[in-house]
Amino acid sequence: MNSTGLTPEETESRLERGQATLREQFNAPACGFIAPTFQRGRLTAEGLAGHGLNYTVGFRHIDFADGSRIPIATWCWDVSRWGVLGHAGHFYGNLRMRFYNKLLPCLALHPIDVGRGFLPHIVKLTQKLLDEGRRPILFDAESGFVFG
């Protein structure tokens, strides 16, 4: 068993079933992987490549199957069952960006963030990043990323 609570066999089975479901529903597999709560256990980008996944997004970086890495600063407001801890997720993103201002900003949004009152913080942060000249990045099945 690994740190995610799954055996290696269970992990492999879930990845295979997930890719099969995406192929069935969307006629294409996923090209990247974001583990629930960024907890990917012992999975590596290279290991995920065996399932057709080119990259995996973690809390502090994006790892590619070729071994390259992009460091990121993540703001995440859904960090606990206790909504007030979302302020810690916002603070962490601000802190990481302040010390490492060349990082790629990453906003991890969840529907619950709206109900917990974080939408004004998210809109303000988004506007600040846009005002700095940052451009949103979208994921693409072919290349992995499309820069806007």
Side-chain angles (χ1 to χ4, degrees), residues 10 12 36 46 52 60-61 63 69 79 99 108 148:
E10 290 169 325
E12 291 293 316
E46 296 82 13
R60 296 187 318 171
H61 41 76
D63 291 321
R69 172 180 276 184
V79 297
F99 285 109

Side-chain angles (χ1 to χ4, degrees), residues 9-59:
E9 295 78 20
E10 290 169 325
T11 301
E12 291 293 316
S13 175
R14 287 187 184 200
L15 288 170
E16 288 170 15
R17 287 191 332 251
Q19 287 291 61
T21 299
L22 288 169
R23 276 189 206 94
E24 179 182 304
Q25 297 296 317
F26 300 106
N27 295 321
C31 60
F33 180 76
I34 303 173
T37 66
F38 301 106
Q39 301 298 312
R40 64 181 186 207
R42 294 187 183 120
L43 289 174
T44 64
E46 296 82 13
L48 291 168
H51 293 279
L53 297 157
N54 301 320
Y55 62 90
T56 180
V57 180
F59 198 68

Side-chain angles (χ1 to χ4, degrees), residues 63-86:
D63 291 321
F64 294 87
D66 67 5
S68 62
R69 172 180 276 184
I70 297 175
I72 62 176
T74 301
W75 285 263
C76 184
W77 297 268
D78 183 18
V79 297
S80 167
R81 72 178 93 177
W82 299 287
V84 70
L85 291 179

Side-chain angles (χ1 to χ4, degrees), residues 82-95:
W82 299 287
V84 70
L85 291 179
H87 293 286
H90 186 87
F91 176 78
Y92 180 79
N94 286 341
L95 186 67

Side-chain angles (χ1 to χ4, degrees), residues 79-129:
V79 297
S80 167
R81 72 178 93 177
W82 299 287
V84 70
L85 291 179
H87 293 286
H90 186 87
F91 176 78
Y92 180 79
N94 286 341
L95 186 67
R96 189 151 160 80
M97 201 67 180
R98 183 161 310 189
F99 285 109
Y100 308 101
N101 65 358
K102 298 208 187 252
L103 297 179
L104 179 68
C106 177
L107 283 64
L109 309 177
H110 303 85
I112 198 167
D113 299 333
V114 175
R116 289 180 172 174
F118 289 107
L119 188 58
H121 298 286
I122 295 166
V123 170
K124 185 177 177 180
L125 173 61
T126 302
Q127 189 60 56
K128 177 183 178 281
L129 293 169

